C-alpha cells in the first residue's frame, strides 16, 4: 500500500458509503418519481383526453412520444440511482475487506509475539524498557 490507512480514512469511506452516495441516489430516485407522476398534470398529455381542445381523437402523436420518452427517462434515472447505491455498497465492501485484513494481521502479530521462539522475554533489547531503568522514558518534567 502506498500510504497508511488511518481511522480517519475509514471514517471518510463510511461517510461516502452511508451519507453522500445515498443522498446522490435520492436525487435520481426523486426525479424518477417525479417523472412517474407526470402522466398529464396541468391539463397536458392526459391519458384518455382529447388530443387538443375540441378534438374527438383521444390520442396525440406528441402525447404518445412523451409517454415513450417519459418511460425512458424514468428507467434511466432509476438505473443511475441504483448504480450509485451499488457504488456505495462497493465502498462498504472495500472498507470491510480492509478491516478484516487488518484484524487478521493483528491476530498474526499476536500469535507471533506469543511464540517464545520469536520473543525472548529475558532479552532486554527485545522487550519494553523496565520501569525505573535508564531506558525508561518516565514522565516529562512538569511545565506548570
Amino acid at each position: 500500500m502506498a500510504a497508511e490507512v488511518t481511522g480517519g480514512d475509514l471514517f471518510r469511506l463510511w461517510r461516502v458509503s452511508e451519507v453522500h452516495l445515498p443522498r446522490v441516489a435520492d436525487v435520481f430516485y426523486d426525479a424518477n418519481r417525479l417523472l412517474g407522476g407526470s402522466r398529464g398534470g396541468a391539463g397536458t398529455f392526459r391519458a384518455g383526453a382529447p388530443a387538443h381542445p375540441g378534438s374527438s381523437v383521444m390520442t396525440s402523436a406528441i402525447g404518445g412520444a412523451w409517454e415513450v420518452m417519459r418511460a425512458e427517462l424514468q428507467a434511466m434515472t432509476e438505473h443511475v440511482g441504483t448504480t450509485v447505491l451499488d457504488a456505495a455498497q462497493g465502498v462498504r465492501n472495500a472498507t470491510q475487506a480492509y478491516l478484516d485484513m487488518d484484524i487478521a494481521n493483528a491476530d498474526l502479530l499476536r500469535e507471533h509475539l506469543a511464540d517464545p521462539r520469536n520473543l525472548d522475554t529475558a532479552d532486554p533489547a527485545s522487550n519494553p524498557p523496565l520501569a525505573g531503568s535508564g531506558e525508561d522514558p518516565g514522565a516529562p518534567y512538569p511545565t506548570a
Side-chain angles (χ1 to χ4, degrees):
M1 198 175 269
E4 292 184 22
V5 176
T6 66
D9 297 324
L10 295 175
F11 176 70
R12 283 189 283 282
L13 288 175
W14 175 86
R15 281 184 52 97
V16 165
S17 67
E18 301 296 329
V19 178
H20 301 309
L21 289 176
R23 286 186 173 144
V24 171
D26 181 57
V27 171
F28 287 98
Y29 281 175
D30 284 349
N32 168 274
R33 289 185 287 270
L34 182 65
L35 286 164
S38 66
R39 296 177 185 267
T44 321
F45 307 137
R46 268 191 290 221
H52 54 81
S55 171
S56 61
V57 178
M58 300 301 278
T59 60
S60 138
I62 295 172
W66 164 245
E67 286 300 314
V68 171
M69 186 171 114
R70 183 194 58 77
E72 186 66 29
L73 289 170
Q74 195 174 7
M76 178 188 68
T77 55
E78 176 193 3
H79 181 73
V80 171
T82 301
T83 300
V84 170
L85 289 179
D86 289 345
Q89 185 60 48
V91 172
R92 272 187 226 101
N93 292 347
T95 303
Q96 190 60 50
Y98 177 83
L99 291 171
D100 292 344
M101 183 58 68
D102 192 48
I103 289 168
N105 287 337
D107 290 342
L108 285 173
L109 179 60
R110 277 190 284 276
E111 289 172 18
H112 179 80
L113 293 175
D115 187 339
R117 295 171 298 172
N118 299 323
L119 183 64
D120 181 2
T121 55
D123 180 11
S126 295
N127 292 282
L130 292 172
S133 72
E135 295 176 333
D136 182 14
Y141 188 81
T143 57

